[in-house]
Amino acid sequence: MFSYRDKKILIVDDQKAFHIMLKAMLANQGAEDIKFAESAEQAVKIANLIKFDIYLFDYNLGAGKNGVQLFDYLKRNQLIPSHALCFIITGDSNKRMVLTAMEKSPDDYVMKPFSPVQLSNRLTAATQRKEILQDIYQAIEEQNYEQAISLCNQKIDSDSKYRTLCKNILADIYIQTQQFTAAENLLIPMVKLRPLVHPSISLGKLYFQQKQYQKAIQVLMRLIRYAPMQMEAYQWLARAYKGDGQLDNALNILVQAANTTHNSIERHQEVALLANEMEEYIVMLSSYASILHLSRNSFYPDPCHLANYLRSIVTFAKQEGDMTKRKEILKKVSSTLYQSRFEEGKNKDFNFDGFDQLYQANVLFALNEPLKAKRRIFNTLNSTKETITDFDTTFLTESLFSLLDIGEFEEANPFLAELEKRNIEDQTTQISIKKLTGELLNARIDSFTNHNQMGIKFFSDKRYQQALECFDKALALEPVNTGALLNRSQVFIKMLQQTPPHDDHKSLIKQCQNSFSVLNNTHLPVQFAKRLIILQQELKEIKGAA
């Protein structure tokens, strides 16, 4: 019988009736030090003050975060001692709920109702298992893998009850340390008669890491036919399919896994990224919407998930050639921003107002109105009081992306330099930054700069027609780049100054005025604003002389 004496116990459940019942049950078994929390937030406060020996988390905690999210948060933040036992308790036998709970690896999962004997037996078994394996886990945590391997082998030879479990741990260590042959030799006999869950997943993972994708698919498919609710198997199977080039199969498997379990932002993220790669935009949108919803109800809300969802809407809209349908898709941006004001908008560390304006500009850009988009972007950044180094990461990222959208490469440089100093944890944001700032950006800049620099050279040589052609080519690539627009305007003015008045003057004046109209009513950077004023004055003098 499990001894509760001298054990500190934390019960987290939103139902007071269950508190009373469970306290009486535990007290009758000898428990004396029992504390209660009615919500995840209250439990976190208590766990920061006191370390317990037993944690009993009810899955359903009413509105807000659930028991699995609480357990995951406490574990990640090292608020649960290594010796402690953690149980998830629920009265719901829903398979999705059970799978979600077990994926976080609590010591056990208990269904209501349960008897004192059942709970005591489960705690006894969990305690024995933890005590037997404690030294192995300690060695792994200290990255002393040689010792961990030695301890596993000792227990495999001496303890028949935990032999299979120790073999699983040993195989995982071999895979982690890239001793693939040793891992394969250990795992193959374990799955020969029937596809045991952990050895099969480890073997599939092993083959995946060795890029033996067909072998990985074969092992994992066999397991899923035998045990169809093992979500980690689906995850590695999808990766094996992707590695083998079977993208449709990979996406189908990932969607199935994401829809089967609750609260897995990482799993939806994997779906969204693959769907985007495959241009399956409906699936992509659905996954990013799920991620946004899940993050809002988690311990890790992050405005980057709002940005990812909105960016996916804009990406989807840009693929639609019918402008009426495109406008309809883009309406979702405005409605999402309105709703988000009461969610992410409450985050004092997030410049929601500036972010809102940038996404209104993104909508304008997607509607083929780059001039309006440019004005809104520059006006937004000019009105932002913080320096770039003080921008929150999401606003900084979207500022960079917006400037790159309108081809303002020089203005984007300090934003990119600051972003490179930040630690970007979100995978979608990482990929978006890499995609927009890597080789693709360098190619854009090189192509644009070649035409622009050649135009400057022709201008210096007083070959104004050739200079104009080069600046036109540069603007064909980046239609609203401020530097190129000013360069072209300067060519028009020089051509007007050096030729006698004739019919062509009206055309040149009109073209110059059109270039100015693109830049008017925009908070330009200081050096560009000064140059614009000078050019406008020169044009005014030319028109006056005429």
Side-chain angles (χ1 to χ4, degrees), residues 448-492:
F448 168 81
T449 302
N450 286 340
H451 292 303
N452 198 45
Q453 290 296 327
M454 186 62 70
I456 293 171
K457 184 178 185 304
F458 281 134
F459 182 85
S460 299
D461 295 341
K462 299 181 180 181
R463 298 165 65 182
Y464 300 124
Q465 187 58 46
Q466 290 95 326
L468 186 60
E469 290 172 2
C470 287
F471 292 136
D472 282 341
K473 289 178 181 178
L475 287 167
L477 297 172
E478 308 295 343
V480 290
N481 179 275
T482 303
L485 285 166
L486 290 171
N487 288 342
R488 186 175 66 171
S489 299
Q490 192 162 5
V491 173
F492 288 140

mmCIF file of all heavy atoms in Angstrom, residues 448-492:
data_model
loop_
_atom_site.group_PDB
_atom_site.id
_atom_site.type_symbol
_atom_site.label_atom_id
_atom_site.label_comp_id
_atom_site.label_asym_id
_atom_site.label_seq_id
_atom_site.Cartn_x
_atom_site.Cartn_y
_atom_site.Cartn_z
ATOM 1 N N PHE A 448 17.733 45.135 -59.020
ATOM 2 C CA PHE A 448 17.298 46.535 -58.933
ATOM 3 C C PHE A 448 18.500 47.476 -58.918
ATOM 4 O O PHE A 448 18.534 48.483 -59.649
ATOM 5 C CB PHE A 448 16.463 46.730 -57.659
ATOM 6 C CG PHE A 448 16.201 48.168 -57.319
ATOM 7 C CD1 PHE A 448 15.191 48.864 -57.956
ATOM 8 C CD2 PHE A 448 16.977 48.823 -56.369
ATOM 9 C CE1 PHE A 448 14.954 50.202 -57.656
ATOM 10 C CE2 PHE A 448 16.741 50.162 -56.056
ATOM 11 C CZ PHE A 448 15.729 50.847 -56.700
ATOM 12 N N THR A 449 19.504 47.169 -58.108
ATOM 13 C CA THR A 449 20.665 48.052 -57.945
ATOM 14 C C THR A 449 21.438 48.190 -59.247
ATOM 15 O O THR A 449 21.936 49.284 -59.570
ATOM 16 C CB THR A 449 21.588 47.512 -56.831
ATOM 17 O OG1 THR A 449 20.840 47.412 -55.616
ATOM 18 C CG2 THR A 449 22.770 48.439 -56.607
ATOM 19 N N ASN A 450 21.546 47.106 -60.006
ATOM 20 C CA ASN A 450 22.272 47.179 -61.283
ATOM 21 C C ASN A 450 21.667 48.229 -62.203
ATOM 22 O O ASN A 450 22.379 49.050 -62.790
ATOM 23 C CB ASN A 450 22.262 45.811 -61.970
ATOM 24 C CG ASN A 450 23.203 44.826 -61.293
ATOM 25 O OD1 ASN A 450 24.113 45.215 -60.577
ATOM 26 N ND2 ASN A 450 22.978 43.537 -61.526
ATOM 27 N N HIS A 451 20.336 48.202 -62.341
ATOM 28 C CA HIS A 451 19.673 49.186 -63.199
ATOM 29 C C HIS A 451 19.797 50.593 -62.612
ATOM 30 O O HIS A 451 20.073 51.561 -63.342
ATOM 31 C CB HIS A 451 18.193 48.841 -63.366
ATOM 32 C CG HIS A 451 17.950 47.580 -64.148
ATOM 33 N ND1 HIS A 451 18.433 47.396 -65.424
ATOM 34 C CD2 HIS A 451 17.267 46.445 -63.826
ATOM 35 C CE1 HIS A 451 18.066 46.205 -65.867
ATOM 36 N NE2 HIS A 451 17.361 45.602 -64.914
ATOM 37 N N ASN A 452 19.615 50.706 -61.299
ATOM 38 C CA ASN A 452 19.652 52.028 -60.665
ATOM 39 C C ASN A 452 21.052 52.645 -60.754
ATOM 40 O O ASN A 452 21.207 53.827 -61.081
ATOM 41 C CB ASN A 452 19.215 51.901 -59.206
ATOM 42 C CG ASN A 452 18.800 53.225 -58.605
ATOM 43 O OD1 ASN A 452 18.066 54.001 -59.222
ATOM 44 N ND2 ASN A 452 19.266 53.503 -57.395
ATOM 45 N N GLN A 453 22.082 51.835 -60.485
ATOM 46 C CA GLN A 453 23.455 52.337 -60.530
ATOM 47 C C GLN A 453 23.870 52.701 -61.960
ATOM 48 O O GLN A 453 24.574 53.691 -62.179
ATOM 49 C CB GLN A 453 24.416 51.290 -59.957
ATOM 50 C CG GLN A 453 24.297 51.091 -58.451
ATOM 51 C CD GLN A 453 24.666 52.338 -57.665
ATOM 52 O OE1 GLN A 453 25.526 53.122 -58.070
ATOM 53 N NE2 GLN A 453 23.985 52.538 -56.540
ATOM 54 N N MET A 454 23.416 51.896 -62.898
ATOM 55 C CA MET A 454 23.719 52.213 -64.295
ATOM 56 C C MET A 454 23.056 53.524 -64.688
ATOM 57 O O MET A 454 23.642 54.355 -65.413
ATOM 58 C CB MET A 454 23.227 51.080 -65.202
ATOM 59 C CG MET A 454 23.629 51.256 -66.676
ATOM 60 S SD MET A 454 25.422 51.275 -66.917
ATOM 61 C CE MET A 454 25.815 49.567 -66.565
ATOM 62 N N GLY A 455 21.829 53.746 -64.192
ATOM 63 C CA GLY A 455 21.146 55.007 -64.461
ATOM 64 C C GLY A 455 21.894 56.187 -63.879
ATOM 65 O O GLY A 455 22.015 57.251 -64.521
ATOM 66 N N ILE A 456 22.432 56.014 -62.662
ATOM 67 C CA ILE A 456 23.212 57.089 -62.030
ATOM 68 C C ILE A 456 24.464 57.390 -62.850
ATOM 69 O O ILE A 456 24.854 58.556 -63.035
ATOM 70 C CB ILE A 456 23.571 56.695 -60.577
ATOM 71 C CG1 ILE A 456 22.303 56.644 -59.711
ATOM 72 C CG2 ILE A 456 24.588 57.654 -59.977
ATOM 73 C CD1 ILE A 456 22.511 56.058 -58.337
ATOM 74 N N LYS A 457 25.103 56.350 -63.368
ATOM 75 C CA LYS A 457 26.312 56.537 -64.181
ATOM 76 C C LYS A 457 25.982 57.292 -65.477
ATOM 77 O O LYS A 457 26.696 58.237 -65.859
ATOM 78 C CB LYS A 457 26.936 55.182 -64.504
ATOM 79 C CG LYS A 457 28.259 55.266 -65.262
ATOM 80 C CD LYS A 457 28.845 53.898 -65.510
ATOM 81 C CE LYS A 457 30.221 54.001 -66.151
ATOM 82 N NZ LYS A 457 30.233 54.788 -67.401
ATOM 83 N N PHE A 458 24.904 56.870 -66.137
ATOM 84 C CA PHE A 458 24.508 57.573 -67.370
ATOM 85 C C PHE A 458 24.160 59.030 -67.048
ATOM 86 O O PHE A 458 24.486 59.940 -67.829
ATOM 87 C CB PHE A 458 23.307 56.885 -68.014
ATOM 88 C CG PHE A 458 23.660 55.644 -68.795
ATOM 89 C CD1 PHE A 458 22.927 54.470 -68.649
ATOM 90 C CD2 PHE A 458 24.723 55.651 -69.700
ATOM 91 C CE1 PHE A 458 23.242 53.335 -69.379
ATOM 92 C CE2 PHE A 458 25.041 54.518 -70.437
ATOM 93 C CZ PHE A 458 24.304 53.354 -70.264
ATOM 94 N N PHE A 459 23.522 59.255 -65.928
ATOM 95 C CA PHE A 459 23.161 60.627 -65.539
ATOM 96 C C PHE A 459 24.424 61.470 -65.336
ATOM 97 O O PHE A 459 24.489 62.628 -65.792
ATOM 98 C CB PHE A 459 22.320 60.605 -64.253
ATOM 99 C CG PHE A 459 21.875 61.966 -63.806
ATOM 100 C CD1 PHE A 459 20.729 62.549 -64.330
ATOM 101 C CD2 PHE A 459 22.602 62.681 -62.851
ATOM 102 C CE1 PHE A 459 20.318 63.810 -63.923
ATOM 103 C CE2 PHE A 459 22.199 63.937 -62.433
ATOM 104 C CZ PHE A 459 21.052 64.506 -62.969
ATOM 105 N N SER A 460 25.428 60.886 -64.664
ATOM 106 C CA SER A 460 26.687 61.608 -64.437
ATOM 107 C C SER A 460 27.380 61.931 -65.761
ATOM 108 O O SER A 460 28.054 62.970 -65.880
ATOM 109 C CB SER A 460 27.620 60.765 -63.557
ATOM 110 O OG SER A 460 27.040 60.524 -62.296
ATOM 111 N N ASP A 461 27.202 61.041 -66.741
ATOM 112 C CA ASP A 461 27.808 61.250 -68.068
ATOM 113 C C ASP A 461 26.929 62.126 -68.965
ATOM 114 O O ASP A 461 27.228 62.278 -70.165
ATOM 115 C CB ASP A 461 28.039 59.905 -68.752
ATOM 116 C CG ASP A 461 29.071 59.049 -68.024
ATOM 117 O OD1 ASP A 461 29.849 59.623 -67.235
ATOM 118 O OD2 ASP A 461 29.078 57.818 -68.219
ATOM 119 N N LYS A 462 25.832 62.638 -68.390
ATOM 120 C CA LYS A 462 24.885 63.507 -69.121
ATOM 121 C C LYS A 462 24.204 62.787 -70.285
ATOM 122 O O LYS A 462 23.770 63.416 -71.256
ATOM 123 C CB LYS A 462 25.584 64.772 -69.612
ATOM 124 C CG LYS A 462 26.153 65.618 -68.488
ATOM 125 C CD LYS A 462 26.826 66.899 -68.998
ATOM 126 C CE LYS A 462 27.389 67.713 -67.836
ATOM 127 N NZ LYS A 462 28.026 68.963 -68.298
ATOM 128 N N ARG A 463 24.084 61.478 -70.144
ATOM 129 C CA ARG A 463 23.358 60.671 -71.153
ATOM 130 C C ARG A 463 21.970 60.393 -70.564
ATOM 131 O O ARG A 463 21.659 59.325 -70.072
ATOM 132 C CB ARG A 463 24.134 59.387 -71.440
ATOM 133 C CG ARG A 463 25.520 59.642 -72.034
ATOM 134 C CD ARG A 463 26.417 58.424 -71.979
ATOM 135 N NE ARG A 463 25.923 57.327 -72.824
ATOM 136 C CZ ARG A 463 26.515 56.149 -72.901
ATOM 137 N NH1 ARG A 463 27.624 55.909 -72.187
ATOM 138 N NH2 ARG A 463 26.021 55.194 -73.669
ATOM 139 N N TYR A 464 21.130 61.440 -70.633
ATOM 140 C CA TYR A 464 19.887 61.445 -69.860
ATOM 141 C C TYR A 464 18.849 60.442 -70.359
ATOM 142 O O TYR A 464 18.117 59.858 -69.565
ATOM 143 C CB TYR A 464 19.308 62.864 -69.827
ATOM 144 C CG TYR A 464 20.260 63.858 -69.204
ATOM 145 C CD1 TYR A 464 20.647 65.000 -69.904
ATOM 146 C CD2 TYR A 464 20.793 63.623 -67.940
ATOM 147 C CE1 TYR A 464 21.539 65.904 -69.346
ATOM 148 C CE2 TYR A 464 21.686 64.526 -67.382
ATOM 149 C CZ TYR A 464 22.060 65.658 -68.093
ATOM 150 O OH TYR A 464 22.936 66.546 -67.529
ATOM 151 N N GLN A 465 18.769 60.231 -71.658
ATOM 152 C CA GLN A 465 17.792 59.284 -72.174
ATOM 153 C C GLN A 465 18.111 57.863 -71.714
ATOM 154 O O GLN A 465 17.223 57.120 -71.290
ATOM 155 C CB GLN A 465 17.761 59.346 -73.711
ATOM 156 C CG GLN A 465 16.641 58.512 -74.330
ATOM 157 C CD GLN A 465 15.253 58.925 -73.844
ATOM 158 O OE1 GLN A 465 14.920 60.110 -73.800
ATOM 159 N NE2 GLN A 465 14.430 57.952 -73.458
ATOM 160 N N GLN A 466 19.408 57.504 -71.765
ATOM 161 C CA GLN A 466 19.805 56.175 -71.295
ATOM 162 C C GLN A 466 19.583 56.043 -69.784
ATOM 163 O O GLN A 466 19.176 54.987 -69.283
ATOM 164 C CB GLN A 466 21.289 55.911 -71.624
ATOM 165 C CG GLN A 466 21.557 55.717 -73.117
ATOM 166 C CD GLN A 466 21.988 57.029 -73.785
ATOM 167 O OE1 GLN A 466 21.519 58.108 -73.408
ATOM 168 N NE2 GLN A 466 22.868 56.907 -74.778
ATOM 169 N N ALA A 467 19.846 57.135 -69.055
ATOM 170 C CA ALA A 467 19.620 57.125 -67.604
ATOM 171 C C ALA A 467 18.144 56.891 -67.304
ATOM 172 O O ALA A 467 17.794 56.092 -66.420
ATOM 173 C CB ALA A 467 20.077 58.450 -66.990
ATOM 174 N N LEU A 468 17.288 57.569 -68.070
ATOM 175 C CA LEU A 468 15.842 57.423 -67.880
ATOM 176 C C LEU A 468 15.405 55.982 -68.127
ATOM 177 O O LEU A 468 14.596 55.417 -67.371
ATOM 178 C CB LEU A 468 15.098 58.374 -68.822
ATOM 179 C CG LEU A 468 13.586 58.463 -68.650
ATOM 180 C CD1 LEU A 468 13.232 58.930 -67.256
ATOM 181 C CD2 LEU A 468 12.979 59.389 -69.702
ATOM 182 N N GLU A 469 15.951 55.372 -69.159
ATOM 183 C CA GLU A 469 15.596 53.975 -69.466
ATOM 184 C C GLU A 469 16.011 53.037 -68.323
ATOM 185 O O GLU A 469 15.269 52.112 -67.971
ATOM 186 C CB GLU A 469 16.276 53.562 -70.770
ATOM 187 C CG GLU A 469 15.692 54.247 -71.997
ATOM 188 C CD GLU A 469 16.498 53.978 -73.253
ATOM 189 O OE1 GLU A 469 17.503 53.214 -73.164
ATOM 190 O OE2 GLU A 469 16.151 54.518 -74.325
ATOM 191 N N CYS A 470 17.176 53.296 -67.741
ATOM 192 C CA CYS A 470 17.643 52.448 -66.630
ATOM 193 C C CYS A 470 16.763 52.626 -65.393
ATOM 194 O O CYS A 470 16.412 51.643 -64.728
ATOM 195 C CB CYS A 470 19.090 52.798 -66.281
ATOM 196 S SG CYS A 470 20.280 52.210 -67.503
ATOM 197 N N PHE A 471 16.398 53.864 -65.081
ATOM 198 C CA PHE A 471 15.552 54.094 -63.912
ATOM 199 C C PHE A 471 14.156 53.505 -64.127
ATOM 200 O O PHE A 471 13.531 53.005 -63.180
ATOM 201 C CB PHE A 471 15.467 55.583 -63.587
ATOM 202 C CG PHE A 471 16.769 56.170 -63.100
ATOM 203 C CD1 PHE A 471 17.216 57.394 -63.579
ATOM 204 C CD2 PHE A 471 17.539 55.483 -62.174
ATOM 205 C CE1 PHE A 471 18.411 57.933 -63.140
ATOM 206 C CE2 PHE A 471 18.747 56.013 -61.726
ATOM 207 C CZ PHE A 471 19.190 57.235 -62.214
ATOM 208 N N ASP A 472 13.687 53.552 -65.371
ATOM 209 C CA ASP A 472 12.389 52.917 -65.675
ATOM 210 C C ASP A 472 12.453 51.406 -65.455
ATOM 211 O O ASP A 472 11.496 50.796 -64.950
ATOM 212 C CB ASP A 472 11.985 53.213 -67.126
ATOM 213 C CG ASP A 472 11.431 54.627 -67.290
ATOM 214 O OD1 ASP A 472 11.025 55.215 -66.276
ATOM 215 O OD2 ASP A 472 11.392 55.114 -68.434
ATOM 216 N N LYS A 473 13.587 50.801 -65.829
ATOM 217 C CA LYS A 473 13.749 49.359 -65.610
ATOM 218 C C LYS A 473 13.801 49.032 -64.115
ATOM 219 O O LYS A 473 13.244 48.026 -63.667
ATOM 220 C CB LYS A 473 15.020 48.858 -66.302
ATOM 221 C CG LYS A 473 14.917 48.826 -67.818
ATOM 222 C CD LYS A 473 16.222 48.371 -68.457
ATOM 223 C CE LYS A 473 16.120 48.359 -69.983
ATOM 224 N NZ LYS A 473 17.411 47.969 -70.607
ATOM 225 N N ALA A 474 14.500 49.892 -63.356
ATOM 226 C CA ALA A 474 14.567 49.688 -61.908
ATOM 227 C C ALA A 474 13.168 49.772 -61.297
ATOM 228 O O ALA A 474 12.793 48.961 -60.440
ATOM 229 C CB ALA A 474 15.492 50.727 -61.276
ATOM 230 N N LEU A 475 12.369 50.743 -61.757
ATOM 231 C CA LEU A 475 11.016 50.929 -61.215
ATOM 232 C C LEU A 475 10.054 49.847 -61.703
ATOM 233 O O LEU A 475 9.032 49.598 -61.056
ATOM 234 C CB LEU A 475 10.500 52.320 -61.575
ATOM 235 C CG LEU A 475 11.173 53.458 -60.785
ATOM 236 C CD1 LEU A 475 10.855 54.812 -61.399
ATOM 237 C CD2 LEU A 475 10.730 53.422 -59.323
ATOM 238 N N ALA A 476 10.363 49.241 -62.830
ATOM 239 C CA ALA A 476 9.538 48.104 -63.264
ATOM 240 C C ALA A 476 9.678 46.954 -62.279
ATOM 241 O O ALA A 476 8.733 46.180 -62.068
ATOM 242 C CB ALA A 476 9.955 47.672 -64.666
ATOM 243 N N LEU A 477 10.849 46.854 -61.645
ATOM 244 C CA LEU A 477 11.079 45.805 -60.647
ATOM 245 C C LEU A 477 10.521 46.189 -59.282
ATOM 246 O O LEU A 477 9.903 45.377 -58.599
ATOM 247 C CB LEU A 477 12.591 45.525 -60.522
ATOM 248 C CG LEU A 477 13.292 44.980 -61.767
ATOM 249 C CD1 LEU A 477 14.797 44.935 -61.550
ATOM 250 C CD2 LEU A 477 12.771 43.581 -62.096
ATOM 251 N N GLU A 478 10.747 47.439 -58.882
ATOM 252 C CA GLU A 478 10.289 47.930 -57.572
ATOM 253 C C GLU A 478 9.568 49.255 -57.805
ATOM 254 O O GLU A 478 10.155 50.327 -57.679
ATOM 255 C CB GLU A 478 11.482 48.109 -56.618
ATOM 256 C CG GLU A 478 12.390 46.890 -56.500
ATOM 257 C CD GLU A 478 11.699 45.679 -55.869
ATOM 258 O OE1 GLU A 478 10.640 45.864 -55.226
ATOM 259 O OE2 GLU A 478 12.207 44.547 -56.024
ATOM 260 N N PRO A 479 8.274 49.208 -58.128
ATOM 261 C CA PRO A 479 7.555 50.369 -58.661
ATOM 262 C C PRO A 479 7.461 51.593 -57.748
ATOM 263 O O PRO A 479 7.241 52.696 -58.245
ATOM 264 C CB PRO A 479 6.150 49.806 -58.939
ATOM 265 C CG PRO A 479 6.336 48.339 -59.046
ATOM 266 C CD PRO A 479 7.437 48.000 -58.112
ATOM 267 N N VAL A 480 7.624 51.414 -56.440
ATOM 268 C CA VAL A 480 7.468 52.580 -55.563
ATOM 269 C C VAL A 480 8.724 52.846 -54.740
ATOM 270 O O VAL A 480 8.662 53.482 -53.686
ATOM 271 C CB VAL A 480 6.243 52.410 -54.620
ATOM 272 C CG1 VAL A 480 4.949 52.490 -55.414
ATOM 273 C CG2 VAL A 480 6.298 51.101 -53.843
ATOM 274 N N ASN A 481 9.883 52.391 -55.224
ATOM 275 C CA ASN A 481 11.127 52.669 -54.513
ATOM 276 C C ASN A 481 11.416 54.166 -54.556
ATOM 277 O O ASN A 481 11.500 54.769 -55.637
ATOM 278 C CB ASN A 481 12.279 51.890 -55.140
ATOM 279 C CG ASN A 481 13.606 52.151 -54.462
ATOM 280 O OD1 ASN A 481 14.297 53.123 -54.775
ATOM 281 N ND2 ASN A 481 13.950 51.299 -53.506
ATOM 282 N N THR A 482 11.587 54.761 -53.401
ATOM 283 C CA THR A 482 11.723 56.218 -53.302
ATOM 284 C C THR A 482 12.961 56.725 -54.026
ATOM 285 O O THR A 482 12.898 57.709 -54.778
ATOM 286 C CB THR A 482 11.782 56.642 -51.816
ATOM 287 O OG1 THR A 482 10.607 56.171 -51.156
ATOM 288 C CG2 THR A 482 11.880 58.148 -51.684
ATOM 289 N N GLY A 483 14.111 56.068 -53.820
ATOM 290 C CA GLY A 483 15.346 56.522 -54.444
ATOM 291 C C GLY A 483 15.254 56.529 -55.954
ATOM 292 O O GLY A 483 15.663 57.500 -56.613
ATOM 293 N N ALA A 484 14.687 55.476 -56.544
ATOM 294 C CA ALA A 484 14.575 55.393 -58.005
ATOM 295 C C ALA A 484 13.589 56.422 -58.538
ATOM 296 O O ALA A 484 13.804 57.008 -59.613
ATOM 297 C CB ALA A 484 14.152 53.989 -58.417
ATOM 298 N N LEU A 485 12.496 56.675 -57.809
ATOM 299 C CA LEU A 485 11.526 57.695 -58.227
ATOM 300 C C LEU A 485 12.160 59.084 -58.233
ATOM 301 O O LEU A 485 11.949 59.883 -59.164
ATOM 302 C CB LEU A 485 10.317 57.686 -57.292
ATOM 303 C CG LEU A 485 9.333 56.519 -57.469
ATOM 304 C CD1 LEU A 485 8.385 56.441 -56.281
ATOM 305 C CD2 LEU A 485 8.538 56.681 -58.770
ATOM 306 N N LEU A 486 12.964 59.370 -57.216
ATOM 307 C CA LEU A 486 13.645 60.670 -57.164
ATOM 308 C C LEU A 486 14.699 60.763 -58.254
ATOM 309 O O LEU A 486 14.865 61.833 -58.879
ATOM 310 C CB LEU A 486 14.279 60.870 -55.783
ATOM 311 C CG LEU A 486 13.300 61.085 -54.629
ATOM 312 C CD1 LEU A 486 14.028 61.055 -53.293
ATOM 313 C CD2 LEU A 486 12.548 62.403 -54.791
ATOM 314 N N ASN A 487 15.401 59.663 -58.512
ATOM 315 C CA ASN A 487 16.407 59.673 -59.585
ATOM 316 C C ASN A 487 15.760 59.963 -60.933
ATOM 317 O O ASN A 487 16.273 60.746 -61.735
ATOM 318 C CB ASN A 487 17.126 58.318 -59.636
ATOM 319 C CG ASN A 487 18.062 58.114 -58.464
ATOM 320 O OD1 ASN A 487 18.441 59.067 -57.787
ATOM 321 N ND2 ASN A 487 18.440 56.872 -58.200
ATOM 322 N N ARG A 488 14.626 59.303 -61.192
ATOM 323 C CA ARG A 488 13.938 59.541 -62.465
ATOM 324 C C ARG A 488 13.445 60.975 -62.553
ATOM 325 O O ARG A 488 13.544 61.621 -63.613
ATOM 326 C CB ARG A 488 12.778 58.556 -62.622
ATOM 327 C CG ARG A 488 12.105 58.663 -63.993
ATOM 328 C CD ARG A 488 11.039 57.619 -64.197
ATOM 329 N NE ARG A 488 9.907 57.802 -63.308
ATOM 330 C CZ ARG A 488 8.773 57.131 -63.393
ATOM 331 N NH1 ARG A 488 8.644 56.202 -64.342
ATOM 332 N NH2 ARG A 488 7.786 57.340 -62.557
ATOM 333 N N SER A 489 12.920 61.506 -61.444
ATOM 334 C CA SER A 489 12.448 62.901 -61.437
ATOM 335 C C SER A 489 13.593 63.860 -61.735
ATOM 336 O O SER A 489 13.419 64.854 -62.459
ATOM 337 C CB SER A 489 11.839 63.240 -60.072
ATOM 338 O OG SER A 489 10.742 62.405 -59.795
ATOM 339 N N GLN A 490 14.780 63.546 -61.197
ATOM 340 C CA GLN A 490 15.939 64.410 -61.431
ATOM 341 C C GLN A 490 16.337 64.393 -62.907
ATOM 342 O O GLN A 490 16.762 65.417 -63.455
ATOM 343 C CB GLN A 490 17.110 63.946 -60.561
ATOM 344 C CG GLN A 490 18.255 64.940 -60.513
ATOM 345 C CD GLN A 490 19.189 64.700 -59.357
ATOM 346 O OE1 GLN A 490 19.041 63.732 -58.628
ATOM 347 N NE2 GLN A 490 20.146 65.599 -59.180
ATOM 348 N N VAL A 491 16.168 63.248 -63.561
ATOM 349 C CA VAL A 491 16.452 63.166 -65.000
ATOM 350 C C VAL A 491 15.473 64.049 -65.770
ATOM 351 O O VAL A 491 15.869 64.821 -66.667
ATOM 352 C CB VAL A 491 16.366 61.715 -65.501
ATOM 353 C CG1 VAL A 491 16.500 61.667 -67.029
ATOM 354 C CG2 VAL A 491 17.442 60.856 -64.861
ATOM 355 N N PHE A 492 14.187 63.967 -65.418
ATOM 356 C CA PHE A 492 13.189 64.802 -66.095
ATOM 357 C C PHE A 492 13.547 66.283 -65.971
ATOM 358 O O PHE A 492 13.482 67.052 -66.952
ATOM 359 C CB PHE A 492 11.798 64.564 -65.490
ATOM 360 C CG PHE A 492 11.196 63.230 -65.831
ATOM 361 C CD1 PHE A 492 10.482 62.507 -64.876
ATOM 362 C CD2 PHE A 492 11.321 62.681 -67.101
ATOM 363 C CE1 PHE A 492 9.923 61.290 -65.174
ATOM 364 C CE2 PHE A 492 10.754 61.457 -67.414
ATOM 365 C CZ PHE A 492 10.060 60.748 -66.442
#
